[in-house]
C-alpha cells in the first residue's frame, strides 16, 4: 500500500542549523498493516509523516502510495486519500463552523474526486453523518448545528478522527493523537481508532510514547532514532516481546549512537 | 418631536441606502469575517464599480452596467489576491497597494474627470418606473437585487468551495492539510467579495445618478461598522441569519446617520459622526463584556466581605 524507498531530508542544509531529519528511510506497508512507531523526541517520526503528507518534498528517494508515485505531488492533492491526525485537537477542525459543516467539508473533499466544487450535502448524507456521530457515543449527533469550538478536546479529536475516515483513506497517519487527552478520553478515542481501522481494514501508522499500546495495538512496531528506522518487529517476535524488552532495545539503539558520538569526539581530540 | 424625526421618507431612504451599502458589508463579511483578511482595497473597488457602471450606463446600458461593475470588482479582487497569494505580500499591504493604484484607474475610467453625472441617462430605476411608477419603485428594485445576492451567497457558502473558503479563515492549518489549495480559496473568496463591492458601487451610481472619485472614501470603515452592528445584533448563527444581520446592520447604520442629519448636524461634520458611530459600534460588545465582568467581580467581593474567612490573609 505505502512504500518509502530510501527517503532522506535535511533541513537548513549548509548552515550551522543543518539537521538530517530523515536518513535513508525505507519502509513497506502492506494493505491493512497497522504499525505503531516509537522513538525519542527528534527521532524523525513526525518528519516522516510530514514527508508522506507532502508538507515538504524529500531531498531524495521516492514515496509510493497504492502503486502511484506521489513523491512530488502537492500537499492538498495528496490529502484526498491521506488521513492525518495531530496531537493538538485544535488543528483538525474549524472552530466556528458547525459539526455538520466540518463533516461536510471532509466528506466533500474526499468523495468527489474532481470538478464538483459546487456540490452540496444532501439530506441522505446528513443522515449518514448523524449515524456515524452516534457511533462515537458522545451525544454529538444531537449537536450537529453547534460550532465545533464548543466541544471538549476529546470530542474534537474524536470528530477529527471521524472526519479523516468519513471517506476511507488509503493511509491513516496518527501523530500521538491521544497525547493531549485525559486518560479516560484517550482510551475512548484509542478504542474508537482500533474499531474504525479494523472494520475498514485501513492501513495505518501511529506514533505513540506509550510502550504498552505500542505493543498491543496493530500488527507491527517500528522504532526510530536519528532519522532512521532502527527496529521493525512483527509476527512471532512481536507477540513475545514485553515492554521491558522494547525498552532494552530502545537503550541499545540510543546507546549505539552515544558510542558513535564518543568515538567521534575522541577522534577529534587526537 | 419623535414623529418629526421618524418620517416614512427618512426610513425609506435609510433602507434604500442601507441595502445598497449593505452589499459592501456583505463583501467584508466574506473577506473579513469568513476569510479573516482585512481587505483595504474596498474603498477603491467601490469607486471602480461606481465609475465603470456610470460609464456603461452613460452609454445606454444600465443593466449591463451592473454586471460590468461586478466584473470590475472581480478583476480588482483577483489582483489583490494575486499579490498576497502568489507574490507573498501581506494582505493589508496588498489591499493598500491595490487601493492606491485604483485611484488612477478610476479617474481613467471616468475619462480623466473627477465626476460623471447620469441625470439624462436611462437607469435600472427609470426602467422599473416605466413598468410601475410608485414611491416605492427604487426600494423594490434594490431589495430584489439584494435578496438575489443574499440567496446566491448563502447557497454558495454551503457548497464545497464555500465551506472551504470558510474553513480557510477559520483554521488555516486544517485547510492546508485538506484537499483544497488555500491559494485558490483566498482568490475565489476575494473575487466574490469584491464583486459585491463593485455591484454596490454600481447600484449607487445609478441611484444617485452620479459618480465621484471620492465616493469610496471611508467605505471600508462604514461597512465594517455595519458588519459589526449586524453580528452584535444577530450573533453567529446560521449563514443565512448572519447575512440577514449584516444587511440589517447596514440599514441601522443609515438610520443613525439619517437621524444625526435630522438634528441639524452640519454636512461637513458627517465624517466625524460616522467615525464616532463606528467606534461605538465596534467598542460596544467589548464594553458590554467588561461591564458584565465588573458586575460579577463586585458581587464576588461583596460576598467575600460578608462571609469573611476567605480574605483573612489577603487584606
Amino acid at each position: 500500500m505505502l512504500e518509502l524507498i530510501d527517503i532522506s531530508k535535511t533541513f537548513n542544509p549548509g548552515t550551522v542549523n543543518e539537521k538530517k531529519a530523515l536518513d535513508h528511510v525505507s519502509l513497506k506497508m502492506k494493505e491493512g498493516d497497522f504499525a505503531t512507531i516509537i522513538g525519542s523526541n527528534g527521532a524523525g517520526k513526525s518528519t516522516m509523516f510530514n514527508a508522506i503528507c507532502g508538507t515538504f518534498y524529500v531531498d531524495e528517494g521516492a514515496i509510493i502510495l497504492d502503486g502511484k508515485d506521489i513523491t512530488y505531488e502537492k500537499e492538498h492533492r495528496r490529502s484526498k486519500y491521506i488521513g492525518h491526525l495531530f496531537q493538538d485537537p485544535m488543528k483538525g477542525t474549524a472552530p466556528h463552523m458547525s459539526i455538520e459543516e466540518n463533516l461536510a467539508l471532509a466528506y466533500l473533499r474526499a468523495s468527489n474526486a474532481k470538478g464538483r466544487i459546487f456540490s452540496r450535502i444532501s439530506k441522505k448524507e446528513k443522515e449518514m453523518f448523524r449515524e456515524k456521530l452516534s457511533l462515537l457515543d458522545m451525544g454529538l449527533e444531537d449537536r450537529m448545528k453547534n460550532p465545533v469550538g464548543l466541544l471538549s478536546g476529546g470530542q474534537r479529536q474524536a470528530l477529527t478522527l471521524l472526519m479523516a475516515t468519513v471517506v476511507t483513506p488509503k493511509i491513516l497517519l496518527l501523530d500521538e493523537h491521544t497525547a493531549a487527552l485525559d486518560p479516560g478520553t484517550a482510551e475512548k478515542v484509542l478504542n474508537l481508532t482500533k474499531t474504525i481501522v479494523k472494520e475498514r481494514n485501513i492501513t495505518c501508522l501511529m506514533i505513540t510514547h506509550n510502550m504498552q499500546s505500542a505493543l498491543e495495538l496493530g500488527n507491527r512496531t517500528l522504532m526510530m532514532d536519528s532519522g532512521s528506522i532502527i527496529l521493525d518487529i512483527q509476527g512471532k517476535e512481536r507477540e513475545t516481546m514485553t515492554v521491558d524488552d522494547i525498552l532494552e532495545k530502545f537503550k541499545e539503539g540510543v546507546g549505539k549512537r552515544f558510542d558513535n558520538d564518543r568515538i567521534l569526539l575522541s577522534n577529534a581530540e587526537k | 418631536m419623535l414623529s418629526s424625526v421618524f418620517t416614512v421618507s427618512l426610513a425609506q431612504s435609510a433602507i434604500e441606502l442601507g441595502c445598497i451599502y449593505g452589499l459592501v458589508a456583505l463583501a467584508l463579511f466574506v473577506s473579513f469575517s469568513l476569510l479573516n483578511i482585512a481587505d483595504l482595497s474596498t474603498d477603491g473597488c467601490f469607486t471602480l464599480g461606481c465609475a465603470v457602471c456610470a460609464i456603461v450606463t452613460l452609454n445606454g446600458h444600465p443593466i449591463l452596467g451592473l454586471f460590468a461593475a461586478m466584473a470590475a470588482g472581480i478583476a480588482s479582487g483577483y489582483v489583490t489576491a494575486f499579490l498576497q497569494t502568489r507574490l507573498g505580500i501581506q494582505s493589508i499591504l496588498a489591499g493598500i497597494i491595490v487601493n492606491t493604484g485604483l485611484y488612477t484607474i478610476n479617474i481613467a475610467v471616468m475619462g480623466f474627470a473627477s465626476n460623471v453625472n447620469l441625470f439624462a441617462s436611462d437607469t435600472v430605476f427609470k426602467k422599473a418606473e416605466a413598468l410601475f411608477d410608485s414611491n416605492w419603485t427604487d426600494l423594490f428594485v434594490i431589495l430584489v437585487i439584494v435578496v438575489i445576492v443574499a440567496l446566491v451567497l448563502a447557497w454558495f457558502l454551503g457548497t464545497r468551495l464555500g465551506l472551504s473558503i470558510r474553513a480557510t479563515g477559520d483554521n488555516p492549518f486544517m485547510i492546508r492539510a485538506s484537499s483544497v489549495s488555500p491559494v485558490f480559496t483566498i482568490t475565489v473568496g476575494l473575487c466574490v467579495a469584491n464583486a459585491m463591492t463593485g455591484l454596490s458601487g454600481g447600484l449607487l451610481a445609478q441611484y444617485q445618478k452620479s459618480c465621484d472619485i471620492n465616493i469610496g472614501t471611508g467605505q471600508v470603515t462604514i461597512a465594517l461598522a455595519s458588519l459589526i452592528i449586524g453580528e452584535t445584533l444577530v450573533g453567529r448563527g446560521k449563514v443565512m441569519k448572519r447575512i440577514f444581520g449584516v444587511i440589517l446592520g447596514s440599514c441601522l447604520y443609515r438610520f443613525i446617520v439619517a437621524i444625526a442629519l435630522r438634528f441639524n448636524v452640519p454636512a461637513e461634520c458627517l465624517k466625524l459622526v460616522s467615525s464616532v458611530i463606528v467606534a461605538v459600534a465596534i467598542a460596544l460588545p467589548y464594553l458590554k463584556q467588561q461591564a458584565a465582568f465588573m458586575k460579577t467581580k463586585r458581587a464576588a467581593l461583596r460576598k467575600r466581605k460578608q462571609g469573611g474567612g476567605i480574605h483573612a490573609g489577603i487584606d
Side-chain angles (χ1 to χ4, degrees):
Chain A
M1 184 49 95
L2 174 78
E3 201 175 342
L4 306 180
I5 307 168
D6 220 19
I7 58 168
S8 294
K9 176 73 188 178
T10 307
F11 289 114
N12 309 313
T15 69
V16 275
N17 294 323
E18 180 173 303
K19 176 153 175 46
K20 199 155 199 170
L22 290 175
D23 191 2
H24 300 279
V25 175
S26 290
L27 174 69
K28 200 165 186 172
M29 298 276 291
K30 288 195 290 290
E31 185 163 0
D33 261 1
F34 184 168
T36 53
I37 305 175
I38 49 176
S40 51
N41 294 328
K45 307 179 297 293
S46 298
T47 313
M48 183 167 85
F49 276 15
N50 288 338
I52 298 172
C53 287
T55 311
F56 54 79
Y57 298 121
V58 290
D59 296 335
E60 45 183 318
I63 303 168
I64 315 284
L65 183 62
D66 201 16
K68 192 176 151 203
D69 186 349
I70 59 165
T71 316
Y72 297 105
E73 197 173 26
K74 281 192 180 139
E75 184 180 15
H76 67 267
R77 296 218 176 277
R78 295 186 204 189
S79 60
K80 215 165 271 173
Y81 34 79
I82 297 178
H84 196 175
L85 258 74
F86 303 90
Q87 182 179 344
D88 182 356
M90 305 300 151
K91 275 189 176 174
T93 45
H96 293 112
M97 291 166 72
S98 68
I99 296 178
E100 190 178 277
E101 286 165 339
N102 268 282
L103 275 167
L105 193 61
Y107 181 73
L108 288 171
R109 84 172 153 80
S111 61
N112 309 310
K114 242 190 172 176
R116 303 184 51 193
I117 49 173
F118 291 120
S119 43
R120 294 171 67 91
I121 289 293
S122 68
K123 259 224 169 82
K124 211 173 92 197
E125 284 156 346
K126 277 185 192 170
E127 211 39 58
M128 178 197 71
F129 293 163
R130 209 184 156 76
E131 248 166 60
K132 292 210 169 194
L133 280 169
S134 67
L135 294 180
L136 299 184
D137 197 21
M138 287 176 165
L140 296 184
E141 65 274 16
D142 299 321
R143 300 171 61 185
M144 285 178 60
K145 301 280 179 201
N146 285 15
V148 170
L150 297 180
L151 305 185
S152 71
Q155 288 170 329
R156 272 181 90 158
Q157 201 66 315
L159 178 65
T160 314
L161 181 66
L162 199 62
M163 284 166 63
T165 55
V166 65
V167 172
T168 309
K170 284 183 179 164
I171 187 155
L172 183 63
L173 306 174
L174 306 168
D175 193 344
E176 287 186 65
H177 68 306
T178 59
L181 310 178
D182 69 76
T185 318
E187 204 188 324
K188 202 166 174 181
V189 173
L190 214 53
N191 284 333
L192 209 66
T193 314
K194 258 194 278 188
T195 324
I196 293 177
V197 169
K198 199 169 177 195
E199 251 172 27
R200 295 205 249 145
N201 198 30
I202 301 174
T203 314
C204 180
L205 283 167
M206 182 175 112
I207 297 176
T208 178
H209 282 305
N210 184 333
M211 299 291 168
Q212 193 66 42
S213 51
L215 281 178
E216 275 170 11
L217 282 168
N219 62 345
R220 199 168 163 186
T221 298
L222 308 171
M223 190 188 289
M224 287 191 76
D225 188 57
S226 328
S228 317
I229 296 176
I230 55 169
L231 188 71
D232 180 356
I233 46 171
Q234 48 190 319
K236 266 263 151 52
E237 189 189 1
R238 186 170 184 265
E239 275 163 35
T240 53
M241 194 157 260
T242 62
V243 172
D244 284 337
D245 291 341
I246 207 143
L247 278 174
E248 196 53 45
K249 291 263 185 196
F250 195 76
K251 270 184 209 148
E252 257 174 50
V254 177
K256 226 182 279 161
R257 192 184 70 199
F258 279 146
D259 283 347
N260 283 338
D261 284 352
R262 209 169 295 142
I263 293 165
L264 270 175
L265 284 172
S266 57
N267 279 344
E269 274 163 23
K270 281 174 197 167
Chain B
M1 172 71 194
L2 267 182
S3 60
S4 71
V5 173
F6 293 101
T7 59
V8 175
S9 70
L10 181 144
Q12 192 186 344
S13 75
I15 294 175
E16 284 170 6
L17 283 173
C19 285
I20 293 178
Y21 287 113
L23 292 174
V24 189
L26 274 185
L28 284 198
F29 168 67
V30 172
S31 61
F32 186 73
S33 291
L34 299 184
L35 268 180
N36 206 12
I37 289 173
D39 181 8
L40 293 184
S41 70
T42 302
D43 289 6
C45 182
F46 184 81
T47 316
L48 179 70
C50 195
V52 167
C53 183
I55 294 301
V56 179
T57 308
L58 198 62
N59 287 300
H61 303 288
I63 296 174
L64 184 68
L66 293 180
F67 285 102
M70 284 176 84
I74 290 172
S76 153
Y78 184 81
V79 174
T80 314
F82 185 85
L83 290 181
Q84 50 182 289
T85 56
R86 301 283 180 191
L87 302 183
I89 298 174
Q90 281 179 15
S91 61
I92 289 187
L93 279 175
I96 294 173
I97 291 170
V98 170
N99 195 37
T100 309
L102 277 176
Y103 188 86
T104 310
I105 293 177
N106 293 337
I107 286 259
V109 167
M110 295 197 287
F112 292 98
S114 61
N115 56 60
V116 172
N117 75 65
L118 305 171
F119 290 107
S121 310
D122 197 14
T123 65
V124 284
F125 299 106
K126 277 187 192 163
K127 275 189 190 297
E129 272 159 27
L131 293 175
F132 63 102
D133 196 9
S134 124
N135 270 342
W136 302 91
T137 316
D138 285 7
L139 182 60
F140 181 76
V141 171
I142 293 166
L143 277 180
V144 167
I145 293 174
V146 169
V147 166
I148 291 173
V149 170
L151 287 178
V152 170
L153 184 64
W155 170 84
F156 173 71
L157 291 176
T159 63
R160 175 179 167 215
L161 182 57
L163 287 172
S164 308
I165 288 174
R166 295 173 56 194
T168 308
D170 208 9
N171 188 350
F173 192 90
M174 169 192 173
I175 206 73
R176 228 164 42 104
S178 92
S179 71
V180 189
S181 145
V183 170
F184 181 62
T185 52
I186 288 175
T187 307
V188 174
L190 283 181
C191 286
V192 168
N194 283 288
M196 290 190 287
T197 308
L199 178 64
S200 174
L203 259 181
L204 191 75
Q206 299 198 10
Y207 179 79
Q208 290 191 340
K209 302 190 189 68
S210 69
C211 174
D212 183 272
I213 188 68
N214 291 320
I215 200 160
T217 311
Q219 239 7 281
V220 70
T221 332
I222 293 168
L224 205 56
S226 309
L227 179 68
I228 285 164
I229 295 174
E231 297 214 321
T232 316
L233 284 180
V234 277
R236 295 194 126 193
K238 275 178 124 181
V239 171
M240 197 62 225
K241 201 173 124 196
R242 288 173 74 177
I243 290 177
F244 172 74
V246 172
I247 304 281
L248 187 73
S250 176
C251 290
L252 215 70
Y253 175 83
R254 290 292 148 189
F255 262 112
I256 301 170
V257 171
I259 289 168
L261 281 175
R262 272 267 150 176
F263 283 111
N264 296 326
V265 175
E268 50 274 22
C269 296
L270 204 56
K271 286 265 187 245
L272 183 61
V273 173
S274 296
S275 58
V276 170
I277 297 172
V278 172
V280 170
I282 297 176
L284 216 54
Y286 176 75
L287 291 179
K288 228 165 90 184
Q289 200 187 337
Q290 286 294 305
F293 167 68
M294 289 308 283
K295 207 174 142 195
T296 326
K297 185 178 161 191
R298 234 177 292 129
L301 286 177
R302 208 178 310 123
K303 204 168 168 193
R304 227 198 253 182
K305 234 172 227 156
Q306 283 164 0
I310 314 173
H311 65 303
I314 301 175
D315 334 82

